[in-house]
């Protein structure tokens, strides 16, 4: 069952689903499209996309992969379904909470997230679920924005963080690299891909 906090965040994403792509259009034009290409050059086998949202990544999947996409917002998934007709890759979309997945242990070869763990209410719990459902020889690929380590900018991000949280549920000051380690995943690589605020994280299950 979802708790009250999760329900609040879910409702916020349902509320903005219709205009979500428009809200993120400036970032997409500047860098996100290029970064998504890099992320999806690494995927293979049976893939789980955690937090597929409105389906921004579906155009980047290579041929031959089998994809399941989950999201806890039914309205975001409705937007994703509208895009499925334009690709050849088969993607199964399921309404599911990243913090409480119903998949068996060791199910997926690749798990991927793009700007998702700013929104998962309990990121450690969600990352532990990723660790659980990833095959022992599999990999986890994450493109995530994080809190700046710059003293002034980091404090500023903390100060304004309540604004995006209240508008649509995204935290801009998460320490996601540290959270990945705390959840028990083994980090293989961390690379700054759009200044130090956006990182490509590649990890293995424990």
């Amino acid at each position: 069952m979802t708790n009250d906090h999760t329900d609040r965040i879910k409702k916020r994403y349902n509320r903005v689903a219709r205009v979500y792509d428009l809200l993120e259009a400036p970032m997409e034009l500047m860098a996100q499209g290029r970064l998504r290409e890099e992320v999806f050059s690494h995927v293979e086998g049976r893939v789980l996309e955690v937090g597929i949202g409105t389906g921004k990544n579906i155009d980047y999947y290579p041929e031959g992969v089998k994809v399941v996409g989950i999201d806890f917002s039914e309205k975001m998934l409705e937007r994703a379904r509208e895009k499925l007709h334009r690709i050849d890759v088969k993607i199964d979309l399921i309404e599911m909470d990243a913090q409480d997945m119903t998949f068996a242990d060791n199910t997926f070869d690749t798990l991927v997230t793009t700007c998702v763990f700013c929104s998962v209410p309990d990121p450690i719990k969600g990352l532990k679920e990723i660790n659980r459902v990833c095959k022992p020889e599999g990999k986890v690929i994450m493109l995530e924005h994080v809190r700046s380590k710059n003293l002034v900018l980091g404090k500023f991000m903390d100060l304004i963080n309540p604004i995006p949280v209240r508008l649509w549920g995204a935290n801009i000051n998460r320490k996601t690299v540290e959270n990945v380690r705390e959840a028990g995943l083994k980090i293989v690589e961390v690379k700054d891909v759009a200044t130090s605020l956006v990182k490509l994280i590649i990890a293995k299950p424990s």
Side-chain angles (χ1 to χ4, degrees), residues 140-159:
V140 178
I141 306 160
M142 305 175 69
L143 179 69
E144 298 287 340
H145 61 79
V146 300
R147 184 186 187 277
S148 174
K149 291 188 176 180
N150 177 279
L151 181 62
V152 175
L153 182 54
K155 291 293 186 182
F156 177 72
M157 293 174 75
D158 291 340
L159 182 65

Side-chain angles (χ1 to χ4, degrees), residues 127-205:
L127 288 162
K128 285 182 177 179
E129 280 290 272
I130 283 178
N131 193 11
R132 179 182 68 80
V133 303
C134 187
K135 292 180 180 178
E137 68 280 9
K139 58 187 172 183
V140 178
I141 306 160
M142 305 175 69
L143 179 69
E144 298 287 340
H145 61 79
V146 300
R147 184 186 187 277
S148 174
K149 291 188 176 180
N150 177 279
L151 181 62
V152 175
L153 182 54
K155 291 293 186 182
F156 177 72
M157 293 174 75
D158 291 340
L159 182 65
I160 67 171
N161 189 58
I163 298 172
V165 169
R166 287 170 184 160
L167 287 176
W168 67 89
N171 293 269
I172 63 170
N173 63 347
R174 287 273 171 89
K175 298 179 179 180
T176 299
V177 175
E178 292 87 339
N179 289 343
V180 169
R181 291 194 179 98
E182 187 174 340
L185 289 158
K186 301 173 184 176
I187 291 182
V188 176
E189 180 182 4
V190 178
K191 182 167 66 172
D192 293 343
V193 289
T195 74
S196 61
L197 297 179
V198 182
K199 296 185 184 294
L200 176 65
I201 305 165
I202 299 178
K204 293 280 188 181

Side-chain angles (χ1 to χ4, degrees), residues 62-111:
E63 293 182 4
V65 295
K66 299 177 180 178
V67 183
V68 177
I70 66 169
D71 204 282
F72 69 171
S73 166
E74 66 270 23
K75 295 299 183 183
M76 298 285 274
L77 287 173
E78 286 177 8
R79 305 296 288 181
R81 289 190 180 95
E82 294 171 0
K83 300 173 183 175
L84 292 181
H85 69 279
R86 67 193 196 199
I87 59 168
D88 293 327
V89 176
K90 185 180 185 299
I91 301 180
D92 294 322
L93 298 177
I94 304 172
E95 185 180 338
M96 188 183 299
D97 186 351
Q99 303 165 118
D100 188 20
M101 300 187 207
T102 59
F103 304 115
D105 295 358
N106 309 324
T107 297
F108 296 97
D109 300 293
T110 308
L111 287 98

